[in-house]
Amino acid sequence: ILLENFRDTFGRLLRGGQAALTEKEGLGAALCWASVTAALLRRDNAQQQAASFLEALLKALDDDAVVGPFVPMAFRVLAPVKVESAKASRAKLPPLALQQLSRTVLPSLIARAKGVKAVASAPAKRAALESAVALLAGLSPEVACNDCSEELRFCTLTSLKRLKEEPEATVFAAQALQLLVRAIQKQQSWVEDDLHSVVIPICDLCSSHRVPLVRLGCFQVMIALIQQAFGHLAPLKKQIQAGCKAGVEDRCREVRLLAVAALNTWHCVGSQ
């Protein structure tokens, strides 16, 4: 009965044609829907109901509903953002539940982000991409890199391209960089294959992004790349040094320190 009442109250908000809704109402509906979905996913005897709630979120993307742009925030409720390994994130789903989502929901999100499925608008495709990135970031590095390698590659490279065009993104940018760092640490072969598509956006974001955390993430990526792929970075030396120079002059002290560390890593690895 409670689920039926909840569906009656919020279900209509996830469908298209609700132009009268405000953005706050759309955001509230997405977050409430995600909270109930997370509760259902934690119950062994409610998997069918959870699947139907997840399908409603995906349908909101297809129908270009007012809730559509907030679907990524719903997935961040299912897989809370975590940027510091020493601190525990908010209550998240059990690992098995997250892994199940990676096998069922993630392919649907990727298809929508690629435009394979009929998605109503470009914002809906972007929302599908952000949702996929949020879900991948919630997985363990081992699962993301081993079981979802192709999805990881697509989401990371596509996100970097988008961030170069839309540098105002914040949580999405941090999670995309988090995926890239994991891919480098796990020595994913596609990183070296797509170095140009990785390094150029990173060097641009070092100076252009307004959030210090994202600029810090860029230099973290740069240091990891220099340590693991220095021999392949010679053609991109000018861009890397320009990005580091911009970081050394950054207004944020932490960014300046990491930029100096990146320059030192370049010179130390190059002298070996």
Side-chain angles (χ1 to χ4, degrees), residues 178-191:
Q178 188 178 48
L179 294 182
L180 181 54
V181 169
R182 290 178 178 179
I184 296 170
Q185 291 174 341
K186 294 297 179 181
Q187 298 182 341
Q188 294 287 289
S189 59
W190 59 263
V191 176

Side-chain angles (χ1 to χ4, degrees), residues 203-256:
C203 291
D204 290 341
L205 289 171
C206 284
S207 58
S208 64
H209 205 282
R210 63 184 180 85
V211 178
L213 177 64
V214 175
R215 301 198 297 274
L216 281 170
C218 289
F219 285 111
Q220 185 181 5
V221 168
M222 197 176 295
I223 291 172
L225 280 174
I226 294 170
Q227 290 173 337
Q228 294 196 17
F230 180 81
H232 302 281
L233 292 174
L236 300 166
K237 177 180 178 181
K238 185 179 295 185
Q239 290 89 337
I240 291 173
Q241 290 184 336
C244 289
K245 181 179 179 181
V248 170
E249 299 172 354
D250 196 278
R251 59 185 178 277
C252 177
R253 178 177 179 272
E254 289 78 7
V255 176
R256 294 197 300 270

Side-chain angles (χ1 to χ4, degrees), residues 52-123:
S52 67
F53 270 64
L54 287 167
E55 185 60 34
L57 278 177
L58 298 178
K59 194 72 166 54
L61 295 174
D62 296 339
D63 293 344
D64 201 22
V66 176
V67 173
F70 304 109
V71 169
M73 297 185 188
F75 277 93
R76 289 169 194 148
V77 171
L78 299 176
V81 177
K82 184 177 181 181
V83 296
E84 187 177 341
S85 59
K87 293 183 179 180
S89 61
R90 289 178 289 121
K92 61 186 294 186
L93 296 176
L96 285 178
L98 280 172
Q99 195 166 353
Q100 182 183 2
L101 288 180
S102 72
R103 294 174 178 172
T104 56
V105 178
L106 184 59
S108 297
L109 289 172
I110 296 295
R112 286 169 169 83
K114 289 181 177 180
V116 175
K117 291 195 174 184
V119 178
S121 63

Side-chain angles (χ1 to χ4, degrees), residues 162-173:
R162 180 188 155 189
L163 290 173
K164 186 178 178 181
E165 300 168 353
E166 303 175 22
E168 73 280 358
T170 52
V171 176
F172 171 57

